Each structure stands twice: as C-alpha cells, then as structure tokens.
Amino acid sequence: MTAIDYSKLSEPFAANEIEWRAGSTTKDGKRCTLLAYLTARAVMDRLDEVVGPARWCDSYEQGPGGGLLCTISIQVDPEQDRWVAK
C-alpha cells in the first residue's frame, strides 16, 4: 500500500471548489457578510485522491444548538489498523 503524502491534504483548494453564501446582513439589507465554504464533495474528493477511498471514513453526531459535528478518520497504518480521527 502506498504511503500517504500528508502535505497534499493541506494544499489550497481550487477556486472552483470554494462556494459562497450570504451571512449576516445590515439592517437596511444593502450589505452582507460573505461566507466561503467547501462542499462535502470537495473534501471527499481530496481524501479519495490523497488517502484512497478505503482508508478514510466520516461519522456524525448531534452538536450543540442543533448542529452536527463531523469526525474524519484516516487509516495511518494499515498493517496495524491504526487510525487517527479529528
């Protein structure tokens, strides 16, 4: 099995992988805060490319205030089945 090039995980995403949405707006509605975000698909594609589709997984749990918390796990040592989760 090939080694993971971890530096590729921290490479910037391409501009077309970044999406934007309006955040808070001023009272008069003329200005807003723009929020940049990555879609889950962009993250999954990066992990598939760098780590391999069989060496990572994600899990979700209820977060505070009704949100969701996502944990991504990467298999760092297949021979010993060692995983790191964040």
Side-chain angles (χ1 to χ4, degrees):
M1 187 157 291
T2 58
I4 298 171
D5 183 353
Y6 292 102
S7 66
K8 288 187 175 184
L9 290 175
S10 62
E11 287 180 359
F13 282 86
N16 66 345
E17 295 177 300
I18 299 170
E19 297 193 6
W20 298 86
R21 68 177 176 90
S24 59
T25 59
T26 58
K27 289 181 183 179
D28 63 9
K30 292 184 179 183
R31 288 185 267 166
C32 69
T33 303
L34 288 178
L35 305 172
Y37 68 96
L38 290 168
T39 64
R41 174 57 48 205
V43 174
M44 291 187 291
D45 289 346
R46 170 73 57 94
L47 287 166
D48 284 348
E49 177 186 331
V50 175
V51 178
R55 291 182 64 188
W56 72 272
C57 64
D58 56 352
S59 61
Y60 299 87
E61 63 182 272
Q62 189 70 39
L68 284 175
L69 297 175
C70 174
T71 300
I72 295 176
S73 303
I74 296 175
Q75 187 182 39
V76 295
D77 185 351
E79 292 178 9
Q80 295 184 12
D81 197 28
R82 245 182 61 218
W83 291 75
V84 171
K86 302 237 177 182

